[in-house]
Amino acid sequence: AKPQLDCATMPALISPRGATVVQDWEDDGRQVRPSSAGRRWPWQQQWSDDASEGCSIPPTPTKRGTQDKTIFPDSTKMKEQLRQQMVRPHYNVANFYKKEGFTQWLAKHPRFEHAALLLILLNAIWIAIETDANKATILLDAPPQFQIVEHFFCVCFTYEIMVRFFAFEWKTYACRE
């Protein structure tokens, strides 16, 4: 039979804050003895302050700095977080553009954005066509129509990225995008 641990056999130490701290004990099946660890660190468990001297079972340990956890979240806190998210402004790259000038006007214009999206779509379709029809390994060996279309897309994408780059108020913002 395993020995019962009570306040007489389990020494308790009083911490500087007044909480009762119980030593770690090992039970190897034959006897109950103090563990070799012997130290209590701040993140380890402590017995709560309401430990009485005549107890035979120590109170439930509590961790320092933890709050009572409930099964259901606090509804008022959830509502406040939701309100904060609704009020937060949406991310828009145009907020980092200059306030005046041609490049910022062009970069913000809906037709420019639609033209860029159309260009991406046409490039995707062209890649599919070129993959099937172009048998050349490198662009220099390809027929002229493939070279012309590839250079056209290259010039268009370069123009788009230059317009967007020069539209930024601070050019370092372009590195974030």
Side-chain angles (χ1 to χ4, degrees):
K2 292 183 181 181
Q4 292 291 330
L5 299 177
D6 59 6
C7 292
T9 60
M10 186 181 295
L13 305 172
I14 304 297
S15 71
R17 292 193 174 102
T20 305
V21 181
V22 180
Q23 267 186 305
D24 287 333
W25 289 79
E26 294 177 351
D27 183 1
D28 64 359
R30 295 175 302 212
Q31 64 179 357
V32 177
R33 56 188 164 76
S35 71
S36 57
R39 287 192 183 136
R40 303 291 291 181
W41 299 101
W43 59 83
Q44 291 175 319
Q45 294 180 339
Q46 289 186 346
W47 302 112
S48 61
D49 292 334
D50 60 350
S52 60
E53 299 239 355
C55 68
S56 60
I57 299 174
T60 306
T62 59
K63 287 188 179 179
R64 189 182 328 177
T66 59
Q67 298 175 353
D68 292 336
K69 305 253 181 191
T70 59
I71 295 175
F72 300 108
D74 185 17
S75 63
T76 56
K77 188 176 181 182
M78 286 177 57
K79 287 177 186 176
E80 184 60 34
Q81 288 174 349
L82 185 61
R83 285 187 194 107
Q84 298 259 334
Q85 289 177 357
M86 291 172 60
V87 173
R88 187 181 318 161
H90 293 284
Y91 176 79
N92 186 2
V93 72
N95 295 338
F96 300 110
Y97 289 164
K98 296 176 185 175
K99 304 301 179 228
E100 54 187 41
F102 175 73
T103 55
Q104 66 84 25
W105 172 82
L106 185 59
K108 290 179 183 177
H109 201 281
R111 287 188 183 163
F112 182 77
E113 293 179 11
H114 293 145
L117 292 174
L118 180 65
L119 190 66
I120 292 169
L121 177 69
L122 292 175
N123 192 16
I125 293 170
W126 177 251
I127 289 172
I129 293 170
E130 183 189 19
T131 303
D132 291 340
N134 187 6
K135 302 300 180 201
T137 311
I138 59 173
L139 187 60
L140 287 174
D141 296 337
Q145 65 266 22
F146 292 110
Q147 291 183 23
I148 291 170
V149 173
E150 287 295 326
H151 290 302
F152 170 75
F153 282 121
C154 181
V155 167
C156 289
F157 284 127
T158 303
Y159 178 73
E160 178 198 2
I161 201 154
M162 294 302 288
V163 166
R164 293 187 188 278
F165 178 76
F166 288 119
F168 281 108
E169 186 172 12
W170 296 99
K171 304 310 179 220
T172 55
Y173 290 154
C175 297
R176 296 183 197 174
E177 296 300 313

